[in-house]
Amino acid sequence: MAVTDLPTASAAPPSALPWVAPFAAFLLWLLVWPYVPLDELRVELLRLGLLAMVLLTVSRGIVASLRVTRWLSSLTVGLLVAGLWLLPGLLWPGYREQRLFQNGITGDTVSALPDSWLASPLLLSLRIARATLLVPLVEEIFWRGFLPRWVLRNNWDAVPMGSYNLLAFAATAVLFAAQHGPYWDVALMCGLIFNWYMWTTRSLGDLVLAHVATNAALAAYAVATKQYVFWL
């Protein structure tokens, strides 16, 4: 995981806005959407539109540059991560109810989706689309495309994609886990796997595809079992 042959730093650091803006918009919406005075359909359409707009304007160069070269291995890694995410709860009923996972810091495993959403095929379809198409782009651009390189060097844009040292590898995984609240344990494990895959492939496009496969599998499981707590 050592970083070698990195270019020398330039005078001014590059702009992080295209790499950070989608994730910042995603987090901001999580904070404000319960207070938006619109019905559920308009709220979801507004959220989808906001994320898509940021991705296709501020971050359009990053999105346009994504290439997938390892279709089979990326899909396999994504499905493996989804399986690991589900495994503890399948093996040990009540596992997620421990205070180690549900407490004042991590929150509770309670779905944020109103019952009216679950009864609407259209709203459910929009929620699945967001989870499988937009969230992987938003998260991977930040977590694997930007943050490890920013940790490594002020002139992070000169750092090759997929470069890590121990601090960057661990910090990215830990912060990724913290974002997922009561699922922090499996998120940490999955973050480590995604970091390893990024280090191995040096391809942000393949990481996005792996994340798409993970979220699609989890969405399918949530809908099939009606366990919507995976959509916190």
Side-chain angles (χ1 to χ4, degrees):
M1 273 180 280
V3 180
T4 58
D5 301 324
L6 297 181
T8 56
S10 61
S15 172
L17 184 63
W19 300 86
V20 176
F23 189 67
F26 177 70
L27 293 182
L28 179 63
W29 186 263
L30 289 178
L31 294 175
V32 305
W33 82 265
Y35 308 103
V36 177
L38 296 173
D39 61 72
E40 291 92 342
L41 178 58
R42 287 181 174 84
V43 165
E44 186 60 23
L45 289 172
L46 183 59
R47 175 164 26 194
L48 285 168
L50 173 65
L51 292 179
M53 180 187 68
V54 175
L55 285 167
L56 295 177
T57 56
V58 180
S59 307
R60 65 184 180 277
I62 300 170
V63 175
S65 71
L66 296 177
R67 298 290 183 273
V68 177
T69 59
R70 300 166 178 83
W71 289 87
L72 182 58
S73 62
S74 298
L75 291 171
T76 301
V77 167
L79 294 176
L80 171 65
V81 167
L84 292 175
W85 197 280
L86 297 171
L87 189 62
L90 294 175
L91 291 179
W92 301 287
Y95 170 83
R96 195 62 55 192
E97 297 173 8
Q98 301 177 68
R99 288 194 60 79
L100 182 63
F101 306 116
Q102 298 193 61
N103 52 63
I105 297 176
T106 62
D108 298 321
T109 54
V110 177
S111 175
L113 296 182
D115 292 339
S116 56
W117 285 47
L118 307 181
S120 169
L122 175 58
L123 284 168
L124 206 54
S125 297
L126 291 174
R127 180 62 177 83
I128 292 170
R130 175 160 54 89
T132 57
L133 300 178
L134 294 183
V135 170
L137 278 168
V138 168
E139 293 196 340
E140 290 309 317
I141 286 173
F142 177 76
W143 288 117
R144 252 64 62 175
F146 167 74
L147 188 61
R149 297 191 292 155
W150 180 81
V151 171
L152 285 171
R153 175 170 291 180
N154 184 50
N155 186 32
W156 57 269
D157 196 44
V159 178
M161 196 75 69
S163 299
Y164 289 94
N165 61 12
L166 181 59
L167 174 61
F169 195 91
T172 303
V174 169
L175 291 172
F176 182 76
Q179 179 200 349
H180 289 85
Y183 290 90
W184 64 264
D185 57 325
V186 287
L188 176 61
M189 180 168 49
C190 296
L192 292 171
I193 293 173
F194 280 152
N195 284 359
W196 165 81
Y197 194 55
M198 184 65 182
W199 174 62
T200 302
T201 65
R202 310 279 171 150
S203 169
L204 187 58
D206 284 289
L207 259 293
V208 171
L209 178 59
H211 204 145
V212 166
T214 297
N215 285 14
L218 291 177
Y221 180 83
V223 172
T225 63
K226 301 190 184 304
Q227 296 187 40
Y228 299 107
V229 292
F230 293 105
W231 290 336
L232 298 174

